[in-house]
Amino acid sequence: MSSPTHANSYYAASANDKALRPQLTGEHRCDVCVVGAGFTGISTALSLAEKGKRVIVVEGSRIGFGASGRNGGQIVNSFNRDIDYIFKNYGDDIGQKMAKMAFAGSELIRHRIEKYNIDCDLKHGNVFAACNKKQFEELKAKKALWESHGHNELELLTASSIQDHIGTDRYAGGLLDRKGGHIQPLNLVLGQARAFEELGGQIFEDSEVVRLEKGVPGKVVTKQGTVIADKIVVAGNAYVFGLLPEVEKKAMPCGTQVIATEPLPEDLQKQLLPTDRCVEDCNYLLDYYRLSGDGRLIYGGGTTYGARDPGKIESIIVPKMLKTYPMLKDVKIDFAWTGNFLLTMMRMPQVGKIGENLYYAQGYSGHGVTNSHLMGEILSDAIDGDTERFDVFASMPQYQFPGGRMLRVPYTAIGAAYYNMRDQLGI
């Protein structure tokens, strides 16, 4: 039997740790069993291990196999729905509490990188790029909103000054967030996994969970082994199938596509991104891009609803890249890959508890790098008895997509097409 492998991505090729952890066999006992070794699972496990808990992580494939090891690598603050939306739709109490957490994920990532000396090409600052005047006005409002909640490391960029950061004239302005940034995401999760193991934690790969047995204690069952645990955390996000159908029906897997160029000459890197910030535009179906640690342009965009893998990733992404940077028309593409993230109806993370001892978190809707790290700490605190932040998320309603499993994809695609048309028209 062949061992599981990561997607053929730049991240997998440049991973610092390629060692395969053992497969789960026999029976094991622990305080907490975490299902899924992505950002949410490893963040939860590491935080619990720091509290002295005995933790086992069970992963069906490899550490960071899903979105955690395939994403754009951008540290973007807040949630998919920003603080003003939360106040409007969930009330002042939840709004105030969520606002206090909106910038915590990026702080936790930097803390972990420094504490555990994680080599993941951390670079500081991200730019939100406005494609039209309407989006630029919205960025002005975002700056005022975030500053009203204590985030003061922001700079509004005009159509002229944004070119100090991005070597293109296609944007009407932007917003620089110095608390944002970018990383090699697979190395970030691998570094935290190593730290977790150094604290005594165990990770089993190639160990797909086939059944959860609820109860106190609960059981996590694979084909070859079993973990008996006082508490269970399900953290597989878009890559958990059939374990919690009552939870899975509340979210929809979606695919996004990414390419990485060959390493670029230093003068060309400076031409593309003079200050080495990462960029995401403000469109509903957005483009995002940045320079890697070895000078490649990593460019992503597009959304495939229902997680269907596109037949030719380059044909989707290269035209987007050339619209921004026509000078790259002769540059070689070394890697192209796709991965799934999980979208929720309200675009807010879904967090909850089933029975006495089974916890779950999912559906970061495109903001998974920061939100998943924060969620790991929140889940850890809840398991340890401090449920204050967990209760905020768990109190928010979790809706199913209209149309059920058959129609949720076309309905969502129609909605996305509508908002994409508005972006193109600047309305």
Side-chain angles (χ1 to χ4, degrees):
M1 182 186 299
S2 61
S3 299
T5 60
H6 284 282
N8 183 28
S9 69
Y10 163 70
Y11 301 139
S14 60
N16 294 330
D17 180 358
K18 294 182 170 65
L20 177 67
R21 272 61 173 185
Q23 192 176 57
L24 178 72
T25 58
E27 186 174 281
H28 299 256
R29 186 70 168 84
C30 63
D31 297 325
V32 184
C33 182
V34 177
V35 179
F39 282 146
T40 302
I42 293 298
S43 179
T44 303
L46 177 55
S47 186
L48 286 166
E50 290 173 337
K51 293 178 170 69
K53 302 293 186 183
R54 294 174 300 146
V55 185
I56 291 175
V57 177
V58 181
E59 165 58 46
S61 186
R62 302 295 304 275
I63 296 169
F65 172 80
S68 301
R70 307 191 201 192
N71 63 77
Q74 302 210 15
I75 301 171
V76 180
N77 280 300
S78 195
F79 310 98
N80 181 294
R81 300 295 197 187
D82 215 341
I83 300 168
D84 53 346
Y85 176 94
I86 297 170
F87 269 92
K88 180 179 178 180
N89 287 274
Y90 299 101
D92 289 352
D93 182 53
I94 288 179
Q96 291 289 355
K97 292 173 180 176
M98 291 289 288
K100 292 178 181 178
M101 294 185 272
F103 313 109
S106 62
E107 295 170 0
L108 178 59
I109 289 169
R110 286 183 171 85
H111 169 73
R112 292 251 177 93
I113 291 171
E114 181 177 0
K115 180 177 181 179
Y116 295 110
N117 192 29
I118 297 173
D119 178 11
C120 60
D121 298 330
L122 172 65
K123 301 178 185 181
H124 301 288
N126 76 285
V127 175
F128 300 99
C131 297
N132 52 55
K133 291 181 180 180
K134 175 179 177 289
Q135 291 178 358
F136 184 57
E137 292 302 314
E138 291 169 347
L139 288 178
K140 289 181 181 178
K142 179 189 285 287
K143 181 175 185 289
L145 174 69
W146 285 10
E147 287 177 341
S148 72
H149 292 283
H151 183 2
N152 297 309
E153 295 185 42
L154 302 165
E155 179 185 347
L156 198 66
L157 306 172
T158 65
S160 174
S161 62
I162 196 172
Q163 293 181 46
D164 295 336
H165 302 277
I166 311 173
T168 181
D169 60 2
R170 66 173 295 197
Y171 299 120
L175 180 66
L176 169 62
D177 179 5
R178 292 186 175 85
K179 280 189 176 180
H182 52 115
I183 37 81
Q184 206 277 33
L186 183 56
N187 280 335
L188 175 58
V189 69
L190 287 167
Q192 291 176 90
R194 182 202 68 216
F196 165 66
E197 291 172 321
E198 289 174 351
L199 291 173
Q202 292 178 280
I203 301 173
F204 295 96
E205 294 181 300
D206 192 17
S207 302
E208 182 180 356
V209 176
V210 297
R211 188 171 73 255
L212 296 175
E213 295 184 8
K214 301 169 187 176
V216 182
K219 288 185 178 181
V220 175
V221 182
T222 71
K223 290 181 179 179
Q224 305 293 332
T226 301
V227 179
I228 300 172
D230 297 328
K231 305 286 176 63
I232 296 171
V233 176
V234 177
N237 212 39
Y239 289 83
V240 170
F241 307 104
L243 293 182
L244 293 175
E246 66 269 45
V247 172
E248 292 169 41
K249 67 184 180 182
K250 297 175 182 177
M252 180 172 64
C254 298
T256 187
Q257 296 74 235
V258 190
I259 60 174
T261 69
E262 62 186 334
L264 303 175
E266 189 171 339
D267 60 342
L268 182 54
Q269 294 178 45
K270 288 291 186 183
Q271 184 181 354
L272 302 180
L273 291 163
T275 57
D276 208 4
R277 317 290 193 183
C278 62
V279 180
E280 67 170 66
D281 69 34
C282 298
N283 285 336
Y284 188 84
L285 299 178
L286 56 82
D287 287 7
Y288 50 89
Y289 49 95
R290 64 187 186 87
L291 290 170
S292 67
D294 60 353
R296 303 169 186 269
L297 183 69
I298 297 177
Y299 204 106
T303 298
T304 309
Y305 293 101
R308 298 184 303 272
D309 288 348
K312 187 68 173 175
I313 297 168
E314 289 183 39
S315 67
I316 297 174
I317 303 302
V318 169
K320 295 174 179 289
M321 179 183 75
L322 295 181
K323 184 176 180 180
T324 307
Y325 295 124
M327 70 285 283
L328 298 181
K329 61 183 176 64
D330 295 323
V331 166
K332 181 175 178 288
I333 305 301
D334 277 352
F335 299 93
W337 68 94
T338 187
N340 297 341
F341 65 96
L342 202 63
L343 190 72
T344 67
M345 179 67 181
M346 300 298 287
R347 308 302 193 265
M348 292 297 294
Q350 294 176 341
V351 182
K353 182 180 179 183
I354 299 173
E356 296 183 52
N357 64 339
L358 195 155
Y359 299 78
Y360 67 88
Q362 66 174 20
Y364 307 114
S365 302
H367 277 239
V369 174
T370 50
N371 288 182
S372 58
H373 281 83
L374 170 65
M375 201 55 61
E377 193 174 61
I378 290 171
L379 289 168
S380 169
D381 288 346
I383 288 168
D384 200 41
D386 179 2
T387 65
E388 182 179 0
R389 293 190 295 176
F390 176 89
D391 289 341
V392 176
F393 281 96
S395 69
M396 292 190 280
Q398 300 174 12
Y399 300 109
Q400 296 184 42
F401 281 88
R405 296 185 67 86
M406 292 293 293
L407 296 177
R408 64 182 182 177
V409 171
Y411 282 0
T412 306
I414 290 169
Y418 168 74
Y419 285 108
N420 184 56
M421 178 187 70
R422 289 175 61 90
D423 286 333
Q424 301 308 310
L425 296 174
I427 59 175

